[in-house]
Amino acid sequence: MKATTARRALPVLALALAGMALTACGAETDGASSHGTSAPASAAAGADTTAGRTTADGTSSSTSADRSGGQNQGSGGSSGTDGGPQTCTAAHLKISAENFDTGAGTTHFQLLFQNTGNSPCTLSGFPGVAFYGRDGAQIGNAAARDTSASVTTVTLLSNGHAASDVAAPDGQSGFSASQCRLKDVSLVGVYAPGSKDMIDVPWKTQECSGTSVHALKVGPVHSVR
């Protein structure tokens, strides 16, 4: 009687154990499903981060656009930051040597600045001036500033002109040969006020190359008189 009961209990126990196994498998299946849903959440977070970088790049692009606009304004030469004409640049200037007058050992002449651009521009101050040889080497000292004239701002309309007065020794000009040391000059190098670009003006005479000679002088740019 007891043996029969035991034999009947074994199938029941087996069924119970099988049910427990199925329950455990179901729990593992639910866990895998939970990991599966967390992966898209991480991808969404990554998408948000990428979107943030895209926004930052957009800001950088806007900054570049602002710089580009500033460059366009600078190269246009039509207006300054206050709405007025900008300083004349070497790209829109033609310079020539005119109005020569020689006497008492000195040659006086004018450097004539012409605005070849389409917009007005301004010049103010002293140009840089020096003589140069065929090889491009500077001859003698650069021009000293003649401060006897006042500095003014000159506005050059398109094709308009301004001038600067220059004085140079006429040959040896009273200096000794060892002081002057005459050399052949091929050009006058001119820097417009505020410019770092030199403009060549043809010159075909001899000038003093001695470093003790400081007779080359230049005045400020003024309106053409």
Side-chain angles (χ1 to χ4, degrees), residues 93-132:
L93 280 176
K94 178 182 178 181
I95 305 177
S96 58
E98 309 283 349
N99 305 323
F100 289 86
D101 182 18
T102 299
T106 302
T107 296
H108 296 273
F109 64 97
Q110 287 186 324
L111 290 172
L112 205 63
F113 297 81
Q114 179 184 0
N115 176 14
T116 61
N118 296 323
S119 303
C121 63
T122 63
L123 288 175
S124 180
F126 296 82
V129 178
F131 293 121
Y132 290 85

Side-chain angles (χ1 to χ4, degrees), residues 123-211:
L123 288 175
S124 180
F126 296 82
V129 178
F131 293 121
Y132 290 85
R134 184 183 298 274
D135 59 357
Q138 182 175 317
I139 295 176
N141 293 302
R145 294 181 176 183
D146 180 0
T147 58
S148 61
S150 300
V151 173
T152 60
T153 299
V154 182
T155 299
L156 282 70
L157 301 178
S158 180
N159 293 319
H161 295 79
S164 176
D165 300 322
V166 185
D170 178 24
Q172 192 168 311
S173 187
F175 297 99
S176 67
S178 59
Q179 282 181 310
C180 179
R181 291 163 40 197
L182 284 173
K183 281 190 177 181
D184 292 330
V185 173
S186 294
L187 61 92
V188 180
V190 182
Y191 293 89
S195 174
K196 295 181 179 180
D197 298 315
M198 189 174 77
I199 299 175
D200 297 345
V201 179
W203 195 266
K204 300 298 181 184
T205 63
Q206 291 188 324
E207 301 293 345
C208 292
S209 65
T211 56

